[in-house]
Amino acid sequence: MHVDQVAALQRLGNKANMLPTWNFINLSGPICTNALDTFGVKLGLSLHYEATTRIVPKGGAVLLNHYSNIDALTGDIPDGLLPAFGNGVTLTQGKKEVSKQFRYSSRWAEDVGTVSMHFAVFRESFGIMMIVAHDPADLPEGSQVEAFYV
């Protein structure tokens, strides 16, 4: 998980000065990427059901995009993405809650219930944006991230 710090700083350019630390970890390896993608798909399907009370049928799809805290600090998260989701909600059990560890927010087409969009944040370290659709044709065109099919 070691990262070539010089290469990372060169890639970031002047944005590196905005970071609180230059200690990076590499999450782009195949094992970590596969685990994040699998978790993101499962979370997206679960949040879709929570929001719409509809199960994604076979042939549906989940579009994922991961964001790190570096993306947030350097402004590389698309403008308007985070404000569109608001503060979000967390898991609670009685008086216990985990908002400092996990928050999520969902938006969906209430009239149809076949497309939903979710954003989950984990310890302010990374976030996952998930777009879930019963029909892959409903996913945004020209997306530069991979869709996973049910």
Side-chain angles (χ1 to χ4, degrees):
M1 294 182 76
H2 174 72
V3 171
D4 179 3
Q5 198 174 38
V6 173
L9 292 171
Q10 287 175 337
R11 183 179 58 82
L12 290 169
N14 290 335
K15 292 180 180 180
N17 295 325
M18 294 184 255
L19 303 177
T21 179
W22 289 350
N23 294 323
F24 306 111
I25 60 170
N26 180 7
L27 298 178
S28 62
I31 294 172
C32 189
T33 299
N34 187 38
L36 283 173
D37 288 345
T38 300
F39 176 74
V41 168
K42 290 179 179 186
L43 181 62
L45 293 171
S46 299
L47 293 175
H48 178 81
Y49 179 78
E50 181 194 46
T52 66
T53 65
R54 297 184 72 179
I55 295 173
V56 176
K58 186 174 183 178
V62 179
L63 190 68
L64 295 176
N65 203 356
H66 307 107
Y67 297 100
S68 70
N69 54 0
I70 292 177
D71 295 328
L73 289 167
T74 59
D76 290 331
I77 295 178
D79 290 339
L81 179 64
L82 296 179
F85 283 100
N87 292 333
V89 295
T90 191
L91 303 174
T92 60
Q93 182 178 17
K95 294 181 180 180
K96 295 184 180 187
E97 57 91 19
V98 293
S99 62
K100 291 182 180 176
Q101 289 86 25
F102 173 71
R103 290 187 324 278
Y104 68 95
S105 185
S106 301
R107 300 287 179 257
W108 64 96
E110 292 182 36
D111 55 337
V112 185
T114 59
V115 178
S116 63
M117 187 171 173
H118 315 276
F119 194 80
V121 178
F122 303 87
R123 279 205 176 270
E124 307 300 329
S125 295
F126 74 97
I128 303 175
M129 188 214 37
M130 301 148 280
I131 301 175
V132 182
H134 288 215
D135 182 353
D138 293 334
L139 293 173
E141 290 184 28
S143 176
Q144 295 181 4
V145 293
E146 185 176 357
F148 297 88
Y149 299 93
V150 179

